[in-house]
Amino acid sequence: MKSAKNILQPEHRALKCALLVLDDCNTLSFAAAVDPMRAANRLADRHAFDWDYVTATDVPARLTCGLMVPGLPLARLETCDLLIVVAGFQLARHATPSLLAGLRRIAAGGATLAGIDGGPWLLAEAGLLDGHAATTHWEDLDNFASRFPAIDVRHDRFAVSGNRLTSGGAMPAIEMMLHIIAARHGAGFAARVAGLFLYEGAPQPGTPQRRTGAPHRHNKLTARANALMEAALDEPLSLAEIAETLGTSPRTLQQQFRLRLGTTPQDHYLQLRLAEARRLVTDTDMPLMEVAQATGFTSQSSFARAFRTQNGQSARDLRQARAQPAAP
């Protein structure tokens, strides 16, 4: 096995990248990998990055939006500095022996490997994340940790572990790419690239994922409360318990949630639980009683009422509607 070169160090030479694009990946995840490199080349007025598109076979990859991405079959890719695996749904179907062998072959050639969205799953299936810190999308973190016990699974937006990089989704993928750009070309240059996208986030590994958007609306106190809530959806904490853990008062929590988010901590907590319930109803085959228990409802009737109020239909009706084939 060839020793991997450290790509996260100052380097003028163009980084040779390969983007393995798989069927059913999200367009935003795909763009999050490509556009920061394109923007870096534009600002540098030279090729800071060179990349090729790679597909699992000689058939173009079809993104969830219907866009077709032709590329070089993975079996014909000889070498690269960085292989980025962009995947989304149908991961079990993608994890063929030939694809996993191809990933291991590229890794053995000394390439750094990165995974976006579902990409970390395929790297893990190939055994290429064992002994590394890694992350994936928050929906799948628990299953990911159970399936791959040799991996140090993190709740981070993106993770860097030696010559392995993993991202939980599209927006963290932008941060991961900016991290690479900063390491190779300086933080000031990376900030200019971020400015082209009007992106003002802090692209640092170790930042935790959140299940809800608009993190800029949180302050430190509400963000910590939100993290406690997300970690205890199945056994909801009381407002007093949250306040005590955070070293504040229930009254202060109430005030800060109303000021920052325009709601109460209790309603915010309920929205988190109901959002997770909808995900479990639409994306899994979990029995509805288990869905209720997993989201902190003590009875099926209370779950049914809350779910219908939130979604305008029952959990059973929503699941049946999602199961119906789309009209041509």
Side-chain angles (χ1 to χ4, degrees):
M1 178 180 292
K2 183 178 178 181
S3 296
K5 179 182 178 181
N6 181 12
I7 68 166
L8 298 177
Q9 61 183 1
E11 176 70 69
H12 185 79
R13 180 185 63 87
L15 186 69
K16 183 179 180 182
C17 304
L19 272 77
L20 174 57
V21 186
L22 298 173
D23 286 343
D24 299 310
C25 79
N26 295 318
T27 312
L28 192 57
S29 295
F30 170 72
V34 177
D35 262 10
M37 296 192 292
R38 175 203 56 77
N41 286 355
R42 174 188 166 194
L43 282 179
D45 198 25
R46 63 178 179 84
H47 280 196
F49 296 88
D50 288 325
W51 65 88
D52 294 306
Y53 299 125
V54 179
T55 49
T57 65
D58 57 359
V59 178
R62 183 184 181 89
L63 308 189
T64 52
C65 68
L67 179 69
M68 305 297 289
V69 180
L72 178 75
L74 179 60
R76 288 170 49 194
L77 176 65
E78 295 182 0
T79 184
C80 61
D81 299 323
L82 171 64
L83 175 65
I84 305 173
V85 183
V86 188
F89 302 99
Q90 306 294 328
L91 297 175
R93 178 169 65 85
H94 295 317
T96 62
S98 60
L99 184 132
L100 300 182
L103 294 177
R104 288 189 285 264
R105 176 178 59 82
I106 297 301
T112 294
L113 272 67
I116 294 174
D117 203 351
W121 276 88
L122 297 174
L123 296 179
E125 287 285 1
L128 297 171
L129 294 180
D130 288 356
H132 287 278
T135 191
T136 190
H137 193 277
W138 61 260
E139 290 184 344
D140 303 314
L141 275 170
D142 290 342
N143 290 338
F144 190 71
S146 298
R147 175 71 179 83
F148 306 109
I151 299 173
D152 177 13
V153 178
R154 304 287 180 86
H155 197 264
D156 302 344
R157 291 172 64 81
F158 74 99
V160 178
S161 179
N163 60 344
R164 299 290 186 267
L165 297 89
T166 49
S167 164
M171 295 309 295
I174 294 177
E175 296 165 2
M176 184 179 75
M177 298 306 295
L178 289 172
H179 182 78
I180 295 172
I181 293 170
R184 295 179 65 83
H185 304 286
F189 183 79
R192 291 173 60 204
V193 174
L196 292 177
F197 302 106
L198 301 181
Y199 180 78
E200 299 177 358
Q204 297 297 323
T207 304
Q209 297 182 34
R210 292 187 176 92
R211 293 170 182 249
T212 54
H216 60 279
R217 294 170 59 192
H218 281 287
N219 59 19
K220 186 175 181 179
L221 181 63
T222 61
R224 291 174 62 202
N226 182 82
L228 289 175
M229 294 173 184
E230 289 184 348
L233 297 178
D234 55 342
E235 296 184 4
L237 302 169
S238 69
L239 181 62
E241 288 173 321
I242 296 172
E244 182 179 2
T245 300
L246 298 178
T248 188
S249 68
R251 178 184 175 87
T252 297
L253 268 184
Q254 293 275 10
Q255 291 174 335
Q256 289 302 308
F257 266 84
R258 287 194 178 279
L259 178 65
R260 304 296 300 190
L261 303 176
T263 187
T264 66
Q266 296 92 331
D267 190 60
H268 181 78
Y269 208 164
L270 178 61
Q271 294 305 310
L272 289 175
R273 292 162 55 205
L274 288 171
E276 175 67 359
R278 182 182 175 93
R279 183 186 75 82
L280 294 174
V281 167
T282 58
D283 294 353
T284 77
D285 296 323
M286 182 182 291
L288 295 183
M289 177 60 76
E290 293 183 16
V291 172
Q293 294 171 346
T295 51
F297 290 92
T298 57
S299 71
Q300 184 67 29
S301 59
S302 63
F303 168 70
R305 285 194 301 271
F307 193 95
R308 182 182 288 277
T309 300
Q310 177 72 13
N311 296 283
Q313 60 182 322
S314 70
R316 181 170 286 103
D317 288 344
L318 177 60
R319 177 169 281 178
Q320 290 175 348
R322 287 297 185 97
Q324 296 298 320

